[in-house]
Amino acid sequence: MVTKASSPSEDAQWIREELHRWIYGNVKAKWPSVVRQLKSRCAAEQKPSTATRLWQLFSGYQAPRSCIELAALRSELDLHDAYRWDL
């Protein structure tokens, strides 16, 4: 079986898409736990630190907090209502 060789830019695109699927899958799997924690903080009348929780979720990927906050801003997501987001 002969396969067509890919270009470096096609390889880079493929890697980007694979990383996106991997991270999205991990976040989606952990999201119910994030929502539960944020709701329990609200019920306990503690101010939920959504930005901190999201940063913790992405810290394993070495994402700086500023990157998480910028992504939320660009996506027009309210960090104070993250428990209402639907993945």
Side-chain angles (χ1 to χ4, degrees), residues 48-56 65 68-69 79:
S49 179
T50 305
T52 298
R53 184 61 189 104
L54 288 176
W55 175 73
Q56 290 169 342
R65 186 181 182 120
I68 304 308
E69 291 170 349
L79 287 177

